[in-house]
Amino acid sequence: MPDRKIAVVNSVQTINPLATISPLAADFDAPSRAAWMALVEKTLKGAPFEKKLRWKTREGLSVEPLYTPEDGIAAHSLPRMISADPDRPWDLRTIIRHPDPQAANAQVLDDLENGAASVLLRLDPTGRNGIAVASVDDLAAVLEGVLIDLAPIGLDAGFLGVQAADWLAALAKPMPGAPRAPLAFNMDPVSAFARAGEAPGPIGDHIAAAATAAKRHAGSFYEARMMLASGQVVHEAGGGEAQELGFMAASAVQYVRALVDAGFALDDAFGRVTLGLAVDGEYFTALAKLRAARAIWSRIIGAAGSTVQARVEARSSARMLARVDPWVNLLRLTAAGFAGAVGGADIIILSPFTDALGHPGMLARRQARNTQLVLMEESHLGRVADPAAGAWALEALTDSFARAGWAAFQAIEAEGGVIAALEAGLVQDKVAETRATLNAAVAKRAIGLIGVSEFPNLADVPPTLDPVDPGAFARPALDVTLPGAISTCAPLAQMRLAEPFEALRERAAGLEATALLVTLGTAADFTARVGFARNLLAAGGIAADIQAADTVEAGGARLAVICSSDARYDEAAVETALALKAAGAAHVWLAGRPGALEGALTAAGVEHFLAAGSDALAVLERAHAAFTPDATEA
């Protein structure tokens, strides 16, 4: 046993993450890469191939537009664990977080009676971030009427994980068939530490306490999953796929070590750990990330001499959800569910589409459940074990993520493990770099957020929420502090992509801001740039009033934007700008790049030029300034 344990600690640092299983068939008559590239270069007419066609992930991994047999890409089969029911190929799990235990109980029963296979209970005695549970009696109220031996119950309790596990175990033991109850205690002190930036006591002792609790309950619940090794905290802080995979792998190894120290046999320790990853609307990258997680796991267990298959939980991303036009979140969540299903997740959890706004109403909760039911029972996404196998682009992306994730894992292990890496700031520094890249892409709309930065709807009707006062259900705080010095690290602050634009929309509500879009020529001349300018301004909450230049009334206009074609600008842009300023427009802009006219337009009073690829947030800040009562010349 000691030798096998050492293998987990050491050998994993030197093995490649993805081994070839079988080469793709390549014995067919196809043009060579050189022939394809000749056609591509002819079509691009001198434009740079790397900029136009090659796509890069936030961490700099390249995805080619075309793969051929010459790339030598291998096909892999990375299926999920075999389901007993082919019509229910994954565990459809819903989140319950209403602060009132009685209301939470009603939601648990409603979900289980209407298609959910299991539930995840988010616990927080204060009621602010979950169900106000602080005792076994509170949890019993949440699970009243639930057959715990049949319906898998998962926990999400942060540093309360050990106590919550004890409560759930106490409730499940009297149930018939309890030893086979498919519980998911999901203790994950590493993520709680990374998110909060501190632990109530030494974090190593919290991990050991979780492992000890796992050993205490393992004999009573043969099939229970004890630990959740999740990379989601990295994703929600703005991290990339490789960083998330590396953190997940390092957490898994940390937990396996702790479980072995607590007395588990190595295979049993691996079998008690669930891997957790986030899935979002970028479904190709998300499903490739899930497949890469299995590849990384296979190398870890191979190094340790184990054969335990990975069990993967895919949970929808919170960072992708928006507060404005939240109906679009339904599409984002559907794409995330698709990624989870096609990527081979064993458990899929989709949040209600109103989560960024507050407690979900009945519609949002039903949609979170029914989205998966449609994907599962009508789209039959689980009928094929690994649909991405053999698709060259997805195989290449899987391979890239697996290798980069393995490298991130090795870097964490070289630092001394995941806790040491967090305390040294290694993880946070890497995440900060990727987050900056992500934020820059959002600001420039290279990453378009439908309903937020692209095609915003200023007249969107918000969905109905469940008004809840958490304070009405709060329980006395539980002391989970362990003896010893408090562990600290820089927290992985959670973020949402839409937040900067949402802040502008909220500010605009008090400005009554409407920009004057001044058109030149015919609809064929101005339609494209009117649409561009209107959408861009609306992303900051600024409405548009469209008027033709020959009939415009610019008196009192705080911001006027000239919109037309380059040809029309050559003919009349300077004259129009002078006329708008003379008529009283405070600020005059032009949609498009000025070219050779820049000097003349600037002299005529044009202060800014709206063009694709600019920092949209900076432009909108400038537009907001034009509508403030004391705005000066920008």
Side-chain angles (χ1 to χ4, degrees):
M1 181 64 64
D3 291 340
R4 298 182 76 193
K5 178 183 171 185
I6 290 172
V8 177
V9 178
N10 299 321
S11 297
V12 290
Q13 299 186 37
T14 59
I15 297 178
N16 288 331
L18 199 57
T20 297
I21 294 175
S22 61
L24 290 172
D27 54 345
F28 58 88
D29 186 18
S32 66
R33 173 173 291 277
W36 283 119
M37 289 304 300
L39 291 172
V40 169
E41 290 172 0
K42 180 179 179 181
T43 303
L44 290 178
K45 298 178 180 179
F49 170 83
E50 292 78 7
K51 183 176 181 180
K52 291 293 184 180
L53 296 180
R54 181 174 289 146
W55 173 69
K56 288 184 179 293
T57 70
R58 252 76 70 186
E59 294 165 298
L61 302 177
S62 293
V63 180
E64 300 296 330
L66 177 70
Y67 292 91
T68 73
E70 295 173 41
D71 291 296
I73 299 169
H76 304 86
S77 181
L78 300 164
R80 64 172 62 88
M81 296 177 72
I82 298 173
S83 171
D85 185 351
D87 293 321
R88 303 278 295 189
W90 68 81
D91 181 345
L92 191 169
R93 186 167 293 178
T94 60
I95 296 179
I96 308 295
R97 62 181 184 90
H98 196 290
D100 179 9
Q102 279 70 40
N105 173 249
Q107 293 181 358
V108 169
L109 295 174
D110 181 59
D111 283 346
L112 292 176
E113 290 169 0
N114 289 281
S118 65
V119 293
L120 179 72
L121 308 179
R122 182 171 294 163
L123 307 183
D124 176 12
T126 70
R128 290 192 295 269
N129 296 306
I131 313 168
V133 168
S135 69
V136 67
D137 291 336
D138 291 338
L139 188 59
V142 176
L143 295 175
E144 177 69 28
V146 178
L147 300 178
I148 302 176
D149 55 329
L150 298 178
I153 303 299
L155 298 176
D156 181 356
F159 283 115
L160 199 62
V162 171
Q163 288 80 358
D166 291 343
W167 301 334
L168 182 58
L171 294 174
K173 280 181 183 178
M175 302 290 291
R180 302 197 69 83
L183 305 178
F185 293 111
N186 284 346
M187 291 178 282
D188 186 10
V190 171
S191 289
F193 177 55
R195 185 178 295 108
E198 66 177 24
I203 182 59
D205 290 351
H206 279 278
I207 295 172
T212 301
K215 182 61 177 175
R216 185 166 62 247
H217 299 306
S220 300
F221 303 102
Y222 309 148
E223 298 183 3
R225 294 282 171 154
M226 301 296 179
M227 315 296 289
L228 176 64
S230 177
Q232 184 136 14
V233 65
V234 167
H235 170 89
E236 303 295 7
E241 290 78 14
Q243 294 156 3
E244 185 181 355
L245 287 165
F247 189 89
M248 172 210 73
S251 296
V253 169
Q254 181 77 50
Y255 290 149
V256 168
R257 290 174 180 144
L259 291 171
V260 170
D261 286 342
F264 282 85
L266 190 66
D267 279 352
D268 196 13
F270 276 116
R272 299 290 185 160
V273 175
T274 298
L275 303 180
L277 291 168
V279 284
D280 58 18
E282 295 182 2
Y283 46 84
F284 283 143
T285 54
L287 72 87
K289 178 175 65 177
L290 292 173
R291 298 179 80 243
R294 292 193 185 277
I296 290 172
W297 176 267
S298 72
R299 307 321 298 167
I300 291 175
I301 62 172
S306 178
T307 58
V308 177
Q309 278 189 282
R311 184 171 180 82
V312 181
E313 176 199 275
R315 197 177 302 192
S316 62
S317 163
R319 85 182 189 193
M320 74 173 177
L321 299 181
R323 293 174 58 88
V324 297
D325 203 358
W327 303 99
V328 181
N329 289 337
L330 288 168
L331 302 179
R332 299 182 179 106
L333 289 161
T334 301
F338 174 89
V342 177
D346 302 291
I347 305 160
I348 300 178
I349 304 171
L350 299 184
S351 298
F353 74 96
T354 58
D355 257 17
L357 291 167
H359 280 279
M362 186 179 297
L363 171 64
R365 292 190 58 257
R366 186 172 73 248
Q367 290 285 11
R369 183 177 64 240
N370 287 356
T371 296
Q372 286 203 60
L373 288 174
V374 171
L375 293 172
M376 180 185 292
E377 298 180 1
E378 297 185 25
S379 300
H380 303 293
L381 293 185
R383 290 295 182 92
V384 178
D386 187 10
W392 287 339
L394 293 177
E395 292 287 11
L397 193 57
T398 298
D399 183 84
S400 295
F401 284 163
R403 295 181 186 279
W406 188 263
F409 167 51
Q410 287 180 307
I412 291 172
E413 289 294 289
E415 190 68 30
V418 66
I419 298 304
L422 284 169
E423 291 176 333
L426 172 69
V427 174
Q428 297 90 327
D429 289 347
K430 293 293 185 182
V431 170
E433 292 175 8
T434 308
R435 179 171 177 159
T437 301
L438 188 63
N439 283 335
V442 169
K444 293 183 177 182
R445 301 196 297 175
I447 296 176
L449 307 177
I450 303 300
V452 180
S453 63
E454 301 281 1
F455 311 108
N457 178 12
L458 296 182
D460 71 301
V461 178
T464 301
L465 300 176
D466 184 5
V468 178
D469 176 14
F473 309 103
R475 302 292 196 265
L478 292 179
D479 186 5
V480 294
T481 304
L482 298 179
I486 293 174
S487 295
T488 61
C489 70
L492 284 171
Q494 310 299 276
M495 54 95 78
R496 283 188 305 104
L497 299 177
E499 284 178 305
F501 288 97
E502 291 168 352
L504 288 168
R505 290 275 289 267
E506 290 174 5
R507 283 165 46 194
L511 295 176
E512 297 183 358
T514 300
L516 178 63
L517 304 189
V518 181
T519 64
L520 299 175
T522 66
D525 293 315
F526 61 72
T527 297
R529 279 177 170 154
V530 163
F532 171 78
R534 180 168 52 191
N535 276 327
L536 175 56
L537 294 170
I542 300 171
D545 176 19
I546 303 170
Q547 296 185 31
D550 54 358
T551 61
V552 67
E553 296 180 4
R558 297 298 306 169
L559 175 61
V561 183
I562 304 171
C563 301
S564 194
S565 64
D566 290 345
R568 291 290 183 177
Y569 288 161
D570 289 340
E571 296 173 3
V574 172
E575 177 185 341
T576 301
L578 290 168
L580 289 171
K581 294 296 289 186
H587 302 273
V588 177
W589 293 4
L590 182 135
R593 299 187 186 279
L597 289 176
E598 183 171 3
L601 287 168
T602 301
V606 176
E607 303 164 2
H608 188 65
F609 303 97
L610 297 179
S614 59
D615 186 326
L617 291 173
V619 170
L620 292 171
E621 288 283 1
R622 186 169 184 168
H624 272 225
F627 288 98
T628 56
D630 58 346
T632 57
E633 293 297 319

